[in-house]
Amino acid sequence: MNHKNMNFRTDLALERRDLYRKANDIKEEIPGIKTEEEYKDSMTISRVKILNDEGANAIGKPIGNYITIDIKDLRLASEEEIQKAAEILSEELKKLYDVHLEEKQDILVVGLGNIGVTADALGPNVVRDIDITRHLLKYAPQYLEEDTRSVSAIAPGVLGTTGIETQEILKGIVDNVKPKLIIVIDSLASKSIERISSTIQIADTGIVPGAGVENTRKEISENSLGIPVIALGIPTVVELATLVSEGIDIFIERLQEKSKSNGFLNELQKEDKYEEVKEALKVGDYNMIVTPKEIDDLIENMSSVVARGINMSL
Amino acid sequence: MNHKNMNFRTDLALERRDLYRKANDIKEEIPGIKTEEEYKDSMTISRVKILNDEGANAIGKPIGNYITIDIKDLRLASEEEIQKAAEILSEELKKLYDVHLEEKQDILVVGLGNIGVTADALGPNVVRDIDITRHLLKYAPQYLEEDTRSVSAIAPGVLGTTGIETQEILKGIVDNVKPKLIIVIDSLASKSIERISSTIQIADTGIVPGAGVENTRKEISENSLGIPVIALGIPTVVELATLVSEGIDIFIERLQEKSKSNGFLNELQKEDKYEEVKEALKVGDYNMIVTPKEIDDLIENMSSVVARGINMSL
Amino acid sequence: MNHKNMNFRTDLALERRDLYRKANDIKEEIPGIKTEEEYKDSMTISRVKILNDEGANAIGKPIGNYITIDIKDLRLASEEEIQKAAEILSEELKKLYDVHLEEKQDILVVGLGNIGVTADALGPNVVRDIDITRHLLKYAPQYLEEDTRSVSAIAPGVLGTTGIETQEILKGIVDNVKPKLIIVIDSLASKSIERISSTIQIADTGIVPGAGVENTRKEISENSLGIPVIALGIPTVVELATLVSEGIDIFIERLQEKSKSNGFLNELQKEDKYEEVKEALKVGDYNMIVTPKEIDDLIENMSSVVARGINMSL
Amino acid sequence: MNHKNMNFRTDLALERRDLYRKANDIKEEIPGIKTEEEYKDSMTISRVKILNDEGANAIGKPIGNYITIDIKDLRLASEEEIQKAAEILSEELKKLYDVHLEEKQDILVVGLGNIGVTADALGPNVVRDIDITRHLLKYAPQYLEEDTRSVSAIAPGVLGTTGIETQEILKGIVDNVKPKLIIVIDSLASKSIERISSTIQIADTGIVPGAGVENTRKEISENSLGIPVIALGIPTVVELATLVSEGIDIFIERLQEKSKSNGFLNELQKEDKYEEVKEALKVGDYNMIVTPKEIDDLIENMSSVVARGINMSL
């Protein structure tokens, strides 16, 4: 198997690491990658560190830190649980500020996505709830505490509604507003439907918008913008072919348990069924990405978690 | 195979008929069922007539007429195409009025579903755009043409947000408002993702809300309400297990085409994988129903089609 | 001056009492009316008790209790302030349950208004957040505590979108669901723009929907429905003529302060300018009712207060 | 009276011209200003041309063309009337392209305003419906006709939610995207409530966002951005003090008609009551701007008119 060309169908470093280990029968850690897990208030915090090119090539993600916070049952979350999740997010963000920022330097928050599409509205929703200070520092500093950090925010829309690459828009804003760090909120694709709007991935490597859904555009990163970019990614969709492909694996496992297995079945399971399934399922343009029926509530709760987490961290 | 206990996982009579024929290797029509197809302006209109108990038992739907209008690419529909679809819907409705109503008798339009959940908001959205006349006939008849029909409409909410069976609410309203016919708009489950918000089923048999998603409540029909009930059902969700189960079938077919088939594979395909897959996929409460990412646009366009169609028919 | 025919242009008993006293130069309390005030957590709670027909005739409201909670700056309310306001509302509601209900009897919450009109959406918004139990008591009692009260809720829409009087709809539901008390949430007209979505009036007398905006429909009360009706009214609009009329009074007062006054000015101020102003301002159908630009935020915060207050009280 | 310091409280050149003529008893045209009127399909099109500094100083607007389209009863507009209004808007825009653009040069559409505030959402709503081509010309030119013009669009948000001046955002985008003309859609303040969301002002002079509501920020114009800026302004709010001030004038006129007039009243009417009234009405931060209750429907219809008008013109 060609390790470099795996099609992961997920933007989460954690899921990619697990897929890579499974596909390559690696029992220990992948060379060039280090992982830690922590449990806190019924949430799981995983820290995947890609240390060098070997690790980066294995799972197709740049060198850097990827922190994943898994929140259970966010759909039914109480006020209290939302608050707790926001606190954990805030702590993780502060650790990254310590690495990438001097005290009280300007931050720009960017909410990617299309406010008119429920499953894609998380970024713009978060921006709406961020506590902005930049204009007050300029026009009404007397209302702010002395050491308030300058925070600005923008929801630049998506290529399909603006006709402009997000990177082109951000470049102009960075040139004029001159922040020292960007926090980007983005909707991701994951492999598992239970992670939808229930998991946050924090990466200090920036992002390529839409990469997870086969829609590559220009990256948003220190490389392209000249300042550090922290990416907050939240899975909101799963590809249909991924779902079915997983389903077939599960199905075959069940058959094997019932000792119906034979050589053929084993072979079946080793193959990458994804491309096959994807081809077979192609029924038009809009069949490839699915989102659970409860997406409205999920997005609302996750927006609260992220907006509060960012506000607390500033 | 026990014909009566098939689990169809679809509310569409047309899909059930096809499933039944496939499962029972019936090449001709199912006894007790008659089907016709018509093509018009790039739309397909199918008319399934269940003639007697034998037909009713086969596909688990009461005796009556089920008309399915398939609209292609409704997501990208132009103003013109929406108008055309509305006209066809209007014609079909008028045929049913001719059977069930005397001239200009009162009609009540009922939009089922939860306005706060995108995939379930079609009914309430339609109600918002229906041309209501009942209050004008009462308080300002001078503004209406002489033979205007009395039309009223309600979006009663769902059991989960009201705590009241829809049937209980409608019973009270029918007693007080005394319409002669009810048109109910409901969100359905179908088997195929390309039918989502692109197909309308018109049935003169009434409906059981939520039947398609394993959530049986009391029926809304002439039986229970004492007046004829025309049901306009639009698929807005597909069950995940259905998708995966279909996907496995498609996958196996592909393998067979590539002459990898053997006796075991054939056996695999005959089995009902649904329950197996469903069991295997159970990862929580919210994983069972999926809806495409484009659901916002789809619902908006379909709401236009249905509201206009009903308005034209009145 | 004919006391009975005053045109109050406000649904708030408190504002009507003040207007009546001013118009009739009454320094003390109006005969048949008793008023108390209380301050709590920067909120003002006023209790107007109409004791007999004399009081009822004076301010054009039925005999009963009218409690007004004034919340300052609700537009900018913190989570904490919303919670505090909800607690005060909850306490006042519990006092009324003690008078009108035996322990744990069924309650129906009714949210009046049009969910598609921001300034009229408060009722439906609140209903969405009420903790419903009636269906769980019926289908899943094992998940509830033993003495849970049965709560159901409905947003019946408005005459303009349903064609059906709200009272007709509620009658049918009361007959079928058989609650022992109704809580109705309604949008009111007030005289002062700073009360918009910042004041709650609780009345144990029921309501006549739309009365404050000259749009009289059938009353929703113990009289018409056979069970006690608690009305939660929140001002969301002010009539333009009311605003201008008030403005003229304020303007004349200013002129008088500057000793520009003369006999004519005094006379001017005594007259009821409302009808005059209303006539003069008539520029179409939609000019008569105004709402502040901030209405979206105001409605959102007030919906939180009311939904939480009701939930806590149950 | 100091002509230069009139406080117009309206962003419409047409209303300012009328106010100036009235205040200065000018029967003919103001020197330096030329006006024409045209009636078409029950709409009124007014063309105010400011020819020189004298005209510009008189009404406080830069030299240029101001075209006002008044649409009657847009709230109740039929599909057909929306289409007609869009056609007239399209024709006027094309005339301006002829002056300011060579054939098929790039255009950027900018929708100002806050999508979360109904009365301020017109700009972002319009942007959502603009037919964008820039990305298709770049990535999929085969789907476009040969001479398709490059159109991009952005809704940059407002200072209060971004912390960034709109001009700063646009400067960066213009530098990177390099359009040859900008069309800005903005919400305006007017003096008359019947113009709310029923009038479009087209100006080839650019705009100063928020100028009409005493919230001056940096201008968006050829001056500041280096390319021509066409401003489409639609009134969505009226200041309360303006309303009351108008109301007092109307009221006094009525009194005079009834021969109650005297010298004092005449004097009263000449004074500028606005500042007086504004001072008197100050009851908090949010009382100064009002919008009619029907604003949701009005905004929706006007968004259709403007988006279609722009699309047709391109």
Side-chain angles (χ1 to χ4, degrees):
Chain A
M1 179 175 281
N2 186 337
H3 293 187
K4 281 175 203 164
N5 292 327
M6 277 188 73
N7 182 346
F8 288 105
R9 280 99 60 187
T10 170
D11 298 318
L12 296 178
L14 187 67
E15 288 188 347
R16 290 191 171 201
R17 166 187 166 269
D18 292 344
L19 285 170
Y20 187 90
R21 285 169 67 205
K22 192 180 164 197
N24 295 282
D25 263 326
I26 299 176
K27 303 286 173 227
E28 311 297 305
E29 190 58 87
I30 302 166
I33 293 183
K34 229 180 75 183
T35 315
E36 283 171 14
E37 267 197 0
E38 187 184 338
Y39 300 88
K40 215 166 165 177
D41 296 323
S42 85
M43 279 166 266
T44 309
I45 306 167
S46 313
R47 291 187 178 80
V48 175
K49 206 176 190 106
I50 303 185
L51 301 163
N52 53 35
D53 282 348
E54 194 179 0
N57 286 336
I59 68 170
K61 286 268 183 189
I63 295 170
N65 294 290
Y66 301 84
I67 300 136
T68 309
I69 305 173
D70 277 316
I71 310 164
K72 279 239 179 70
D73 286 332
L74 187 63
R75 182 172 56 113
L76 305 164
S78 66
E79 169 57 31
E80 217 177 327
E81 288 162 326
I82 287 177
Q83 185 62 16
K84 238 174 217 158
E87 279 164 21
I88 286 176
L89 172 58
S90 167
E91 282 163 31
E92 297 297 329
L93 285 173
K94 280 183 195 161
K95 287 182 208 163
L96 292 177
Y97 301 159
D98 287 346
V99 178
H100 295 287
L101 271 184
E102 286 166 46
E103 218 175 311
K104 301 298 163 194
Q105 286 183 317
D106 294 17
I107 287 182
L108 170 67
V109 180
V110 176
L112 301 184
N114 184 344
I115 203 171
V117 173
T118 306
D120 205 29
L122 203 134
N125 283 353
V126 168
V127 160
R128 209 186 292 183
D129 287 340
I130 293 294
D131 298 334
I132 301 305
T133 59
R134 185 174 176 271
H135 59 313
L136 297 175
L137 284 166
K138 208 166 159 185
Y139 297 112
Q142 66 274 22
Y143 295 118
L144 296 175
E145 285 174 45
E146 211 163 287
D147 61 343
T148 301
R149 185 199 293 279
S150 166
V151 178
S152 52
I154 193 158
V158 296
L159 184 60
T161 63
T162 64
I164 314 173
E165 299 287 352
T166 301
Q167 204 213 50
E168 290 177 285
I169 297 175
L170 293 185
K171 233 181 205 161
I173 294 172
V174 168
D175 285 353
N176 282 280
V177 174
K178 299 189 176 45
K180 294 294 174 247
L181 181 132
I182 289 179
I183 301 174
V184 182
I185 295 105
D186 194 21
S187 297
L188 305 180
S190 91
K191 267 178 44 89
S192 61
I193 206 161
E194 81 266 37
R195 273 215 162 95
I196 294 227
S197 208
S198 300
T199 286
I200 309 168
Q201 174 177 271
I202 311 167
D204 58 2
T205 59
I207 54 162
V208 182
V213 292
E214 301 212 336
N215 188 353
T216 317
R217 281 167 257 149
K218 294 180 195 158
E219 69 181 63
I220 294 168
S221 67
E222 183 153 12
N223 244 6
S224 61
L225 295 172
I227 52 171
V229 177
I230 296 177
L232 294 193
I234 291 105
T236 60
V237 294
V238 179
E239 259 191 281
L240 183 47
T242 302
L243 284 178
V244 174
S245 186
E246 295 284 295
I248 292 174
D249 272 357
I250 295 170
F251 180 63
I252 293 174
E253 269 166 43
R254 288 295 175 107
L255 291 178
Q256 289 173 328
E257 279 168 23
K258 295 185 181 168
S259 11
K260 288 187 182 171
S261 85
N262 59 13
F264 178 75
L265 259 185
N266 286 328
E267 211 175 306
L268 205 66
Q269 194 168 28
K270 267 206 260 161
E271 267 189 69
D272 190 358
K273 290 159 293 293
Y274 173 80
E275 287 300 336
E276 201 76 34
V277 168
K278 190 177 164 184
E279 187 60 29
L281 285 174
K282 210 162 238 166
V283 292
D285 280 342
Y286 60 86
N287 71 321
M288 282 294 113
I289 294 173
V290 293
T291 189
K293 197 185 165 202
E294 291 80 0
I295 191 67
D296 302 80
D297 287 345
L298 284 165
I299 291 287
E300 195 184 320
N301 282 341
M302 183 52 96
S303 296
S304 293
V305 169
V306 176
R308 284 193 209 178
I310 295 177
N311 286 335
M312 278 189 248
S313 78
L314 306 169
Chain B
M1 180 175 277
N2 186 338
H3 292 186
K4 282 175 202 165
N5 291 328
M6 276 188 72
N7 183 347
F8 290 103
R9 278 99 60 186
T10 170
D11 298 317
L12 296 177
L14 187 67
E15 287 188 347
R16 289 192 172 199
R17 167 188 166 268
D18 293 344
L19 284 170
Y20 187 91
R21 286 168 66 206
K22 191 180 164 200
N24 295 282
D25 262 325
I26 299 177
K27 303 285 173 228
E28 311 296 306
E29 191 58 88
I30 302 166
I33 293 183
K34 231 181 73 184
T35 315
E36 283 171 17
E37 269 197 357
E38 187 184 338
Y39 301 87
K40 216 168 168 173
D41 297 324
S42 85
M43 279 165 266
T44 311
I45 306 166
S46 314
R47 291 186 179 79
V48 176
K49 206 177 188 102
I50 303 185
L51 301 163
N52 54 34
D53 283 348
E54 195 179 356
N57 286 337
I59 68 170
K61 286 266 183 190
I63 295 168
N65 294 290
Y66 301 84
I67 300 135
T68 308
I69 306 173
D70 277 316
I71 311 164
K72 279 238 178 71
D73 286 332
L74 187 62
R75 182 172 55 113
L76 304 164
S78 66
E79 170 58 30
E80 216 179 327
E81 289 163 324
I82 287 178
Q83 185 62 15
K84 238 176 218 158
E87 279 163 22
I88 285 177
L89 172 58
S90 167
E91 282 163 32
E92 297 297 331
L93 285 173
K94 280 182 195 161
K95 288 183 208 163
L96 292 177
Y97 301 160
D98 287 346
V99 178
H100 296 287
L101 272 183
E102 286 167 44
E103 218 176 311
K104 301 300 165 195
Q105 286 182 318
D106 293 19
I107 287 182
L108 171 67
V109 180
V110 177
L112 300 185
N114 183 346
I115 203 170
V117 173
T118 307
D120 205 28
L122 203 133
N125 284 354
V126 169
V127 159
R128 213 187 290 184
D129 288 340
I130 294 294
D131 297 335
I132 300 304
T133 59
R134 185 172 177 271
H135 59 312
L136 297 175
L137 284 166
K138 208 165 157 184
Y139 297 113
Q142 67 273 23
Y143 295 118
L144 298 173
E145 285 173 45
E146 211 162 287
D147 61 344
T148 302
R149 185 200 293 278
S150 166
V151 178
S152 52
I154 192 157
V158 296
L159 184 60
T161 63
T162 64
I164 314 174
E165 300 288 352
T166 302
Q167 204 213 51
E168 290 177 283
I169 297 175
L170 293 184
K171 231 179 208 165
I173 294 172
V174 169
D175 286 352
N176 282 278
V177 174
K178 298 190 176 46
K180 293 295 175 245
L181 181 132
I182 289 179
I183 301 174
V184 182
I185 295 106
D186 194 21
S187 298
L188 304 181
S190 91
K191 266 177 45 93
S192 62
I193 208 161
E194 82 266 38
R195 274 214 163 96
I196 295 226
S197 208
S198 299
T199 287
I200 309 168
Q201 173 175 272
I202 311 166
D204 59 1
T205 58
I207 54 161
V208 181
V213 293
E214 300 212 334
N215 188 352
T216 317
R217 283 167 255 148
K218 294 181 196 159
E219 70 182 63
I220 295 168
S221 67
E222 183 154 10
N223 244 6
S224 61
L225 295 172
I227 53 172
V229 177
I230 296 178
L232 293 191
I234 291 104
T236 59
V237 294
V238 179
E239 259 191 280
L240 182 47
T242 303
L243 285 177
V244 173
S245 186
E246 294 285 294
I248 293 175
D249 271 357
I250 295 169
F251 180 62
I252 293 174
E253 269 166 44
R254 289 292 176 110
L255 291 179
Q256 289 172 329
E257 280 168 24
K258 297 186 180 166
S259 7
K260 289 188 182 169
S261 85
N262 58 14
F264 178 74
L265 259 185
N266 286 328
E267 211 175 306
L268 206 64
Q269 195 168 29
K270 268 206 259 159
E271 268 189 69
D272 188 359
K273 289 160 293 291
Y274 173 81
E275 288 300 335
E276 201 77 34
V277 168
K278 190 176 164 184
E279 185 61 29
L281 285 173
K282 209 161 237 166
V283 292
D285 280 341
Y286 59 87
N287 71 320
M288 282 294 112
I289 294 173
V290 294
T291 189
K293 196 186 166 201
E294 292 81 359
I295 191 69
D296 301 81
D297 287 346
L298 283 165
I299 291 286
E300 195 183 318
N301 282 342
M302 183 52 95
S303 296
S304 292
V305 169
V306 176
R308 284 194 208 177
I310 295 177
N311 286 335
M312 278 188 247
S313 78
L314 304 170
Chain C
M1 179 175 279
N2 186 337
H3 293 185
K4 282 174 202 167
N5 291 328
M6 276 187 74
N7 182 347
F8 289 104
R9 280 99 59 186
T10 170
D11 297 318
L12 297 177
L14 187 68
E15 287 188 348
R16 290 192 171 199
R17 168 187 165 268
D18 292 344
L19 285 170
Y20 187 90
R21 283 169 67 206
K22 191 180 164 198
N24 295 281
D25 264 326
I26 298 177
K27 303 286 173 228
E28 311 296 307
E29 190 58 89
I30 302 167
I33 293 182
K34 230 179 76 182
T35 315
E36 283 171 16
E37 269 198 357
E38 188 184 337
Y39 301 88
K40 216 165 167 176
D41 296 323
S42 85
M43 279 165 266
T44 310
I45 305 166
S46 313
R47 291 186 179 81
V48 175
K49 206 176 190 103
I50 303 184
L51 303 163
N52 53 35
D53 283 349
E54 194 178 358
N57 286 336
I59 68 171
K61 286 267 183 189
I63 294 169
N65 294 290
Y66 301 84
I67 300 136
T68 309
I69 305 173
D70 277 316
I71 311 164
K72 278 239 178 70
D73 287 331
L74 187 62
R75 182 171 57 114
L76 305 163
S78 66
E79 171 56 31
E80 214 178 329
E81 288 162 326
I82 287 177
Q83 185 62 16
K84 235 173 220 161
E87 280 164 20
I88 285 177
L89 171 58
S90 167
E91 283 163 31
E92 298 296 330
L93 285 173
K94 280 183 194 160
K95 287 182 209 163
L96 291 178
Y97 300 160
D98 288 345
V99 178
H100 295 288
L101 272 184
E102 286 166 45
E103 219 175 309
K104 301 299 163 195
Q105 286 183 319
D106 293 18
I107 287 182
L108 171 66
V109 180
V110 176
L112 301 185
N114 184 345
I115 202 169
V117 173
T118 306
D120 205 29
L122 202 134
N125 284 355
V126 168
V127 159
R128 211 186 291 184
D129 288 339
I130 293 294
D131 297 335
I132 301 304
T133 60
R134 185 172 175 271
H135 59 312
L136 298 175
L137 284 167
K138 208 164 158 185
Y139 296 113
Q142 66 274 22
Y143 295 118
L144 296 174
E145 285 173 46
E146 211 162 287
D147 60 343
T148 302
R149 184 200 295 278
S150 166
V151 179
S152 53
I154 193 157
V158 296
L159 183 61
T161 63
T162 63
I164 315 174
E165 299 286 352
T166 301
Q167 204 215 49
E168 289 176 286
I169 298 174
L170 294 185
K171 233 181 205 161
I173 294 172
V174 168
D175 285 354
N176 282 279
V177 174
K178 298 192 177 43
K180 294 294 175 245
L181 181 132
I182 289 179
I183 301 176
V184 182
I185 295 105
D186 194 21
S187 297
L188 305 181
S190 90
K191 266 178 43 91
S192 62
I193 207 161
E194 82 265 39
R195 274 215 163 94
I196 294 228
S197 209
S198 300
T199 287
I200 308 168
Q201 174 176 273
I202 310 167
D204 58 2
T205 58
I207 54 161
V208 182
V213 292
E214 302 211 336
N215 188 352
T216 317
R217 281 167 255 149
K218 292 182 196 158
E219 69 181 64
I220 294 169
S221 67
E222 184 155 10
N223 244 5
S224 61
L225 295 172
I227 52 171
V229 177
I230 296 178
L232 294 193
I234 292 104
T236 59
V237 294
V238 179
E239 260 190 280
L240 182 48
T242 302
L243 284 178
V244 174
S245 184
E246 295 284 294
I248 292 175
D249 272 356
I250 294 170
F251 181 61
I252 293 174
E253 269 166 42
R254 288 295 175 108
L255 292 179
Q256 287 172 329
E257 279 168 22
K258 294 182 182 170
S259 6
K260 289 186 184 171
S261 84
N262 58 13
F264 178 73
L265 260 185
N266 286 326
E267 212 174 305
L268 205 64
Q269 194 167 29
K270 268 206 259 163
E271 267 188 70
D272 189 358
K273 289 160 294 292
Y274 173 79
E275 287 301 336
E276 200 78 32
V277 168
K278 190 177 166 185
E279 185 61 29
L281 285 173
K282 209 162 240 166
V283 291
D285 279 342
Y286 60 87
N287 70 321
M288 283 293 113
I289 293 174
V290 293
T291 190
K293 196 185 167 203
E294 290 82 357
I295 191 68
D296 301 82
D297 287 345
L298 284 165
I299 291 287
E300 196 183 319
N301 282 341
M302 182 53 95
S303 296
S304 292
V305 169
V306 175
R308 284 193 208 177
I310 294 177
N311 286 336
M312 278 189 246
S313 78
L314 304 170
Chain D
M1 181 176 277
N2 185 338
H3 291 185
K4 281 175 203 166
N5 291 327
M6 275 189 72
N7 182 346
F8 289 103
R9 279 99 60 184
T10 171
D11 297 317
L12 297 177
L14 187 68
E15 288 187 347
R16 289 191 173 200
R17 168 188 166 266
D18 292 344
L19 284 169
Y20 187 90
R21 285 168 68 206
K22 191 180 164 200
N24 295 282
D25 262 326
I26 298 176
K27 303 286 172 226
E28 311 296 306
E29 191 59 88
I30 302 166
I33 293 182
K34 230 181 73 183
T35 314
E36 283 170 16
E37 267 197 359
E38 187 184 339
Y39 301 87
K40 216 168 167 173
D41 295 324
S42 86
M43 278 166 268
T44 310
I45 305 166
S46 313
R47 292 185 179 81
V48 174
K49 207 178 190 102
I50 303 184
L51 303 162
N52 53 35
D53 283 348
E54 195 179 355
N57 286 337
I59 68 169
K61 286 267 183 190
I63 294 170
N65 294 291
Y66 301 85
I67 300 135
T68 309
I69 305 172
D70 278 316
I71 311 164
K72 278 239 178 70
D73 285 331
L74 187 63
R75 183 172 54 115
L76 304 164
S78 67
E79 171 56 32
E80 216 178 326
E81 288 162 326
I82 286 177
Q83 185 62 16
K84 239 176 218 157
E87 280 163 20
I88 286 177
L89 171 58
S90 167
E91 283 163 31
E92 297 297 330
L93 285 174
K94 280 181 193 161
K95 288 182 208 163
L96 292 177
Y97 301 160
D98 287 346
V99 178
H100 296 286
L101 272 183
E102 287 166 46
E103 217 176 310
K104 300 299 163 197
Q105 286 183 318
D106 293 18
I107 287 183
L108 170 66
V109 180
V110 177
L112 300 185
N114 185 345
I115 204 170
V117 173
T118 306
D120 205 29
L122 203 134
N125 284 354
V126 167
V127 159
R128 212 187 292 183
D129 288 341
I130 293 293
D131 297 336
I132 300 305
T133 60
R134 185 173 177 272
H135 59 312
L136 298 175
L137 284 167
K138 207 165 160 185
Y139 298 112
Q142 66 274 21
Y143 295 118
L144 297 174
E145 285 173 45
E146 210 164 286
D147 60 344
T148 301
R149 183 200 294 279
S150 166
V151 178
S152 52
I154 193 158
V158 296
L159 183 61
T161 63
T162 63
I164 314 173
E165 299 286 351
T166 301
Q167 204 214 50
E168 290 176 285
I169 297 174
L170 294 184
K171 233 181 204 160
I173 294 172
V174 168
D175 285 354
N176 282 279
V177 174
K178 297 191 178 44
K180 293 295 175 247
L181 180 131
I182 289 179
I183 301 175
V184 182
I185 296 106
D186 194 21
S187 298
L188 306 180
S190 90
K191 266 178 44 91
S192 62
I193 208 161
E194 82 265 38
R195 273 213 163 95
I196 294 224
S197 208
S198 300
T199 288
I200 308 169
Q201 174 176 272
I202 310 167
D204 58 3
T205 58
I207 54 161
V208 181
V213 292
E214 301 213 334
N215 188 352
T216 317
R217 282 167 255 149
K218 293 181 196 159
E219 69 182 63
I220 295 169
S221 67
E222 185 155 10
N223 244 6
S224 61
L225 295 172
I227 52 171
V229 177
I230 296 178
L232 294 192
I234 291 104
T236 60
V237 293
V238 179
E239 259 190 282
L240 183 47
T242 303
L243 285 178
V244 173
S245 185
E246 294 285 293
I248 292 175
D249 272 357
I250 295 169
F251 181 61
I252 293 173
E253 269 167 42
R254 288 293 176 107
L255 291 179
Q256 288 172 329
E257 279 169 23
K258 295 185 181 167
S259 8
K260 288 187 182 170
S261 85
N262 58 14
F264 179 75
L265 260 185
N266 286 328
E267 211 173 307
L268 205 64
Q269 195 167 28
K270 268 206 257 157
E271 269 189 66
D272 189 358
K273 288 161 294 290
Y274 173 79
E275 287 300 335
E276 200 77 34
V277 167
K278 191 176 166 185
E279 185 62 28
L281 284 173
K282 209 161 237 164
V283 292
D285 279 342
Y286 61 86
N287 70 321
M288 282 294 112
I289 294 173
V290 293
T291 190
K293 197 186 166 200
E294 290 81 0
I295 191 68
D296 301 81
D297 287 346
L298 284 165
I299 291 288
E300 196 183 318
N301 282 341
M302 183 53 96
S303 296
S304 292
V305 169
V306 175
R308 285 194 207 177
I310 295 176
N311 286 335
M312 278 188 248
S313 77
L314 306 169

